[in-house]
Amino acid sequence: MSSQNIVIVKYNAGNVRSMYEAVLRLGINAQITDDPELIFKADKVIFPGVGEAKSAMTYLKERELDKVLKSLTQPFLGVCLGQQLMCSHSEEGDVECLGIFDAQVRKFQSKGASFKIPQMGWNNIYDLKGELYNDVNENSYVYFVHSYYVEIVNETIAKCDYIHPFSASLHKANFYSCQFHPEKSAGVGNQILDNFLKITL
Amino acid sequence: MLTKRIIPCLDIKDGRTVKGVNFVDLRDAGDPVALAVSYVEQGADELVFLDITATVENRKTFSELVSRIAGAINIPFTVGGGISSVADADILLSAGADKVSINSAAVRRPELINELVDNFGSQFVVVAIDTKKHDDGWKVYVKGGREETPLYTIPWAQEVQSRGAGEILLTSMDHDGTKGGFALDITGELSRNLSIPVIASGGAGNIEHFIDVFKLAQADAALAASIFHFGEVPIPQLKSELAEHGISIR
């Protein structure tokens, strides 16, 4: 596994460093790049991100990375904003996204002191499905920071409740995603990243 | 269910951990990276590292330390101390920090909050407020609590929120270092009136204090230093007792 060529997509949304370190702790020295050639050739692609949807989509489109990412066939993992950008549309900046998942990204509506926006902290995930969640217990805690969420759809493979249920994770063909940060979710997060690195299509 | 967070805070001076008692009388509590790893193992939910000397010369040492921390731990961490520009914050973000905490610089030039939010997002920006009770209300202090400002804590916290900060770290200087409990009144007032999370800090001495700050003051997170560093309140025991009291905990 350590010979895998893992690429972390570099774009105008931070947090690339944390993902790099997390993958390194699992024994893989990933490449951080926005070069389409290197992305196409990778064994697996990680698409992290903390930032704002509209400016991120503008950045990706200017470099035609939107077309590159959609056309990939190797295992692909979007994280946080990465997951949201993989959906069809986001309310954040009212922007069309990559459309890999037929799902909408909506803003949480505040419910006062008990439900602050952003959701920031550790929450439990449930209804876990598929190889991304091998050896991960139902109701494990993972770390979230987000003001927008993906609705529950057919591709949902993990759910979380904040104000209402939403998609903690999605999967379709070679595309996987997490709303939470596996790279910041202690042992559970390590397991999920390790599971992704072990996926063979 | 979203859990309440337990956050050990490590004060850093010359690359080592220290903790001020009422902001003086520093005691050494070890190597920050080793301490950080130990806190992750104990179940800390997040960590905060404050560069308390924060001089230009120390800046490089601190960002190198931040890189080492980022390589060693897999939970979120905030760094603070002397950050007064987007460029300062960018260095720490690139070194691997998840959030920055700003304090005096935000009071001096509140636009800094907007600039950091525009560049890095709300989730990256924690505004620390040091506060002390006066007869006419809680007031804001800067420069590690040495200097009083004309600002009152509640309207300042509202401004901080409206400028886009993702979180408020509220330290009661009247309580800090006393081990007599958190400032429940001001913490509760902010927590109930803001739509962003409030981290309570200053005064933790025992497990009851944490139960109170979560139950009575609705804090979203609680921060402490020496009681964790010196093992007076072990985090696993703290968390299991909080859970027994019906507080949602990881």
Side-chain angles (χ1 to χ4, degrees):
Chain A
M1 191 175 79
S2 55
S3 60
Q4 282 191 94
N5 169 17
I6 306 292
V7 155
I8 299 172
V9 180
K10 183 172 125 186
Y11 64 120
N12 63 333
N15 198 36
V16 172
R17 174 68 188 266
S18 311
M19 184 58 79
Y20 171 82
E21 296 287 353
V23 172
L24 188 63
R25 283 191 291 266
L26 293 169
I28 296 182
N29 192 358
Q31 275 181 293
I32 300 172
T33 183
D34 58 1
D35 180 347
E37 281 295 304
L38 294 175
I39 296 172
F40 273 123
K41 281 198 301 203
D43 294 321
K44 292 192 171 85
V45 175
I46 299 177
F47 182 45
V50 169
E52 193 269 320
K54 191 170 188 175
S55 57
M57 278 310 299
T58 304
Y59 183 98
L60 294 174
K61 279 185 179 162
E62 279 168 6
R63 289 155 184 80
E64 301 205 333
L65 281 171
D66 57 329
K67 296 192 183 98
V68 172
L69 299 182
K70 274 198 285 200
S71 68
L72 294 175
T73 55
Q74 64 271 59
F76 180 101
L77 178 67
V79 170
C80 195
L81 179 63
Q83 165 170 296
Q84 298 182 1
L85 296 178
M86 290 163 79
C87 295
S88 41
H89 176 270
S90 175
E91 285 184 1
E92 188 177 27
D94 187 20
V95 65
E96 294 303 316
C97 298
L98 297 173
I100 293 165
F101 301 123
D102 183 16
Q104 298 293 317
V105 182
R106 305 188 193 282
K107 190 169 186 9
F108 280 125
Q109 300 303 317
S110 179
K111 287 271 169 70
S114 49
F115 289 109
K116 296 186 173 174
I117 314 289
Q119 165 169 235
M120 187 177 291
W122 298 80
N123 202 336
N124 58 307
I125 51 174
Y126 62 94
D127 287 356
L128 310 179
K129 291 180 201 153
E131 61 268 65
L132 199 58
Y133 292 99
N134 281 345
D135 298 320
V136 177
N137 292 331
E138 280 286 311
N139 293 310
S140 289
Y141 283 99
V142 290
Y143 187 79
F144 290 88
V145 182
H146 60 133
S147 301
Y148 292 79
Y149 68 93
V150 180
E151 60 186 354
I152 304 274
V153 291
N154 287 336
E155 290 96 341
T156 302
I157 56 166
K159 295 175 189 166
C160 180
D161 289 355
Y162 192 69
I163 304 173
H164 44 68
F166 68 89
S167 290
S169 212
L170 300 155
H171 171 221
K172 181 184 186 181
N174 59 312
F175 292 101
Y176 296 80
S177 69
C178 303
Q179 178 61 58
F180 56 89
H181 289 276
E183 76 281 15
K184 288 286 163 187
S185 295
V188 173
N190 276 356
Q191 182 67 52
I192 293 166
L193 283 178
D194 198 38
N195 289 343
F196 174 69
L197 296 177
K198 284 179 178 146
I199 287 172
T200 49
L201 294 174
Chain B
M1 190 174 182
L2 185 68
T3 63
K4 302 290 189 182
R5 287 170 282 154
I6 300 297
I7 310 179
C9 177
L10 289 73
D11 286 354
I12 308 294
K13 187 185 178 191
D14 303 326
R16 303 273 299 170
T17 314
V18 288
K19 170 59 192 170
V21 176
N22 279 333
F23 294 93
V24 286
D25 186 27
L26 303 177
R27 282 197 286 174
D28 197 333
D31 167 37
V33 178
L35 200 50
V37 169
S38 147
Y39 281 135
V40 174
E41 287 163 0
Q42 290 175 49
D45 296 307
E46 244 178 270
L47 296 173
V48 172
F49 299 85
L50 293 180
D51 182 12
I52 58 165
T53 42
T55 58
V56 179
E57 313 84 79
N58 279 330
R59 192 124 295 230
K60 195 158 178 287
T61 315
F62 189 61
S63 70
E64 283 165 5
L65 175 63
V66 171
S67 294
R68 289 204 291 133
I69 295 162
I73 67 169
N74 53 8
I75 63 169
F77 69 98
T78 302
V79 298
I83 297 161
S84 58
S85 68
V86 168
D88 290 343
D90 199 17
I91 289 167
L92 297 167
L93 174 70
S94 307
D98 297 291
K99 310 177 192 179
V100 293
S101 165
I102 55 171
N103 191 339
S104 305
V107 171
R108 201 158 54 233
R109 203 171 64 80
E111 298 75 25
L112 177 62
I113 301 168
N114 307 68
E115 292 165 12
L116 291 173
V117 169
D118 291 346
N119 277 276
F120 309 113
S122 283
Q123 84 295 328
F124 185 66
V125 185
V126 180
V127 175
I129 302 177
D130 290 343
T131 187
K132 213 172 195 174
K133 194 173 193 171
H134 287 230
D135 290 341
D136 59 343
W138 289 83
K139 293 194 80 176
V140 178
Y141 280 69
V142 293
K143 297 193 176 168
R146 289 187 300 274
E147 194 176 299
E148 186 183 333
T149 73
L151 298 173
Y152 287 87
T153 301
I154 293 166
W156 171 237
Q158 281 162 341
E159 179 176 350
V160 161
Q161 169 175 290
S162 68
R163 288 182 181 276
E167 237 174 344
I168 285 178
L169 167 54
L170 180 73
T171 302
S172 165
M173 306 200 37
D174 296 328
H175 297 71
D176 197 54
T178 64
K179 300 190 180 176
F182 293 95
L184 299 178
D185 51 353
I186 185 67
T187 303
E189 196 155 359
L190 285 195
S191 195
R192 283 186 289 273
N193 286 298
L194 296 177
S195 60
I196 57 175
V198 175
I199 305 166
S201 158
N206 60 40
I207 290 175
E208 283 297 314
H209 296 152
F210 288 89
I211 295 169
D212 289 346
V213 83
F214 291 135
K215 282 208 153 174
L216 305 177
Q218 287 96 37
D220 297 283
L223 176 146
S226 56
I227 57 158
F228 294 143
H229 301 336
F230 297 105
E232 292 163 42
V233 175
I235 292 173
Q237 189 192 339
L238 169 61
K239 287 189 135 185
S240 67
E241 290 202 27
L242 289 173
E244 281 167 26
H245 282 81
I247 294 162
S248 170
I249 227 72
R250 174 167 72 105

